[in-house]
Amino acid sequence: MELFSVVIRTLFFYIFITISYRLMGKREIGQLGVIDLIVSILMAELVAISIENTEDPMYLTIIPLSILVFLEIVIAYISVKNQKIRILLEGKPSLIISNGTINYHEMIKQRYTLNDLLLQLRQKEIKDISQVEYAFLESNGKLSIFKYKPFQMRGNYPMPVILDGKIEDTTLKYLRKNRQWLENILLNQNVELKNVFYAFYKKQKIFIIKKSGF
């Protein structure tokens, strides 16, 4: 009887967790943010305890699981709507290498060691840091790398200057521009900052994607 109960609970929670993750719209494990990872660990622990303790009613596990799924959906919705909360919960990419030069200040800030950097470069089959034009440490801990073109020619990678109506001051600082410069461009194109979904700098030009409905 106990074996039968374990089998039933295992099958039930397998289906329940599968549906829950579909509702939460989860990505692959390597792309999970901090909140996603915490929820995943809690859900795994709750299910494991429920399968082991067959004498406890299943609703004692289903209720907290449902609460976690609900909270995850609410947090994800708020994060999409509010950039400050999204950055607080998920963080933002950090520029680790710029024009072949390591940004040690940012590495210290992110507690990202040189060994971590070299390891991820080796995993991308890069032997020398001088081969890298840009490298961004993403919020999920992965390193996004843009190598120089042949003959050390610089690439034309898009640099985000506006995200969801918010100016990216870090990018402006890197481009050696200021807010007034960007606001003048928006004014010339008759676009309000609050109506900009995404704007990026590429080939010495600003490309603007407006929010739907504008």
Side-chain angles (χ1 to χ4, degrees), residues 7-46:
V7 171
I8 293 298
R9 284 170 179 257
T10 302
L11 292 175
F12 173 81
F13 284 117
Y14 173 79
I15 296 171
F16 186 90
I17 295 298
T18 300
I19 295 173
S20 298
Y21 270 74
R22 292 292 295 173
L23 289 173
M24 292 188 294
K26 293 298 97 187
R27 300 155 290 183
E28 60 182 89
I29 296 299
Q31 295 178 324
L32 294 181
V34 175
I35 301 299
D36 302 326
L37 186 59
I38 292 172
V39 170
S40 297
I41 292 172
L42 288 174
M43 292 177 71
E45 289 293 328
L46 287 169

Side-chain angles (χ1 to χ4, degrees), residues 42-175:
L42 288 174
M43 292 177 71
E45 289 293 328
L46 287 169
V47 170
I49 292 171
S50 180
I51 292 175
E52 290 178 359
N53 301 326
T54 55
E55 295 181 359
D56 294 338
M58 290 176 63
Y59 71 82
L60 292 179
T61 302
I62 295 173
I63 291 175
L65 283 176
S66 300
I67 292 173
L68 287 174
V69 172
F70 175 75
L71 286 176
E72 176 69 5
I73 293 173
V74 170
I75 291 173
Y77 178 80
I78 295 174
S79 296
V80 169
K81 295 294 183 178
N82 192 305
Q83 186 186 28
K84 291 183 178 179
I85 293 178
R86 181 167 63 248
I87 292 174
L88 177 65
L89 296 176
E90 300 180 5
K92 59 189 302 186
S94 301
L95 184 61
I96 299 298
I97 298 178
S98 175
N99 294 323
T101 302
I102 298 176
N103 186 347
Y104 289 105
H105 176 75
E106 190 64 27
M107 288 180 65
I108 293 172
K109 181 180 176 182
Q110 299 299 327
R111 295 183 293 280
Y112 186 70
T113 68
L114 185 59
N115 286 336
D116 294 330
L117 175 61
L118 295 176
L119 172 62
Q120 296 205 41
L121 289 177
R122 288 195 298 270
Q123 290 175 341
K124 299 285 187 178
E125 299 183 353
I126 296 176
K127 301 177 182 178
D128 193 338
I129 292 175
S130 62
Q131 295 178 255
V132 181
E133 185 177 1
Y134 297 110
F136 294 89
L137 181 63
E138 306 293 350
S139 56
N140 61 6
K142 287 189 174 183
L143 193 68
S144 298
I145 300 170
F146 300 91
K147 295 195 292 185
Y148 277 109
K149 293 182 178 181
F151 310 109
Q152 293 295 92
M153 292 177 61
R154 293 186 177 184
N156 293 306
Y157 305 112
M159 305 290 288
V161 291
I162 299 176
L163 292 176
D164 198 16
K166 305 294 183 182
I167 295 176
E168 292 292 297
D169 292 303
T170 303
T171 303
L172 290 181
K173 183 178 179 181
Y174 173 78
L175 296 173

Side-chain angles (χ1 to χ4, degrees), residues 162 164-165 186 189-200 207-214:
I162 299 176
D164 198 16
L186 295 177
Q189 297 193 29
N190 196 28
V191 178
E192 293 186 40
L193 177 61
K194 65 180 182 179
N195 297 336
V196 178
F197 177 69
Y198 178 55
F200 60 92
F207 297 86
I208 299 173
I209 300 175
K210 294 188 288 186
K211 295 180 180 179
S212 59
F214 296 98

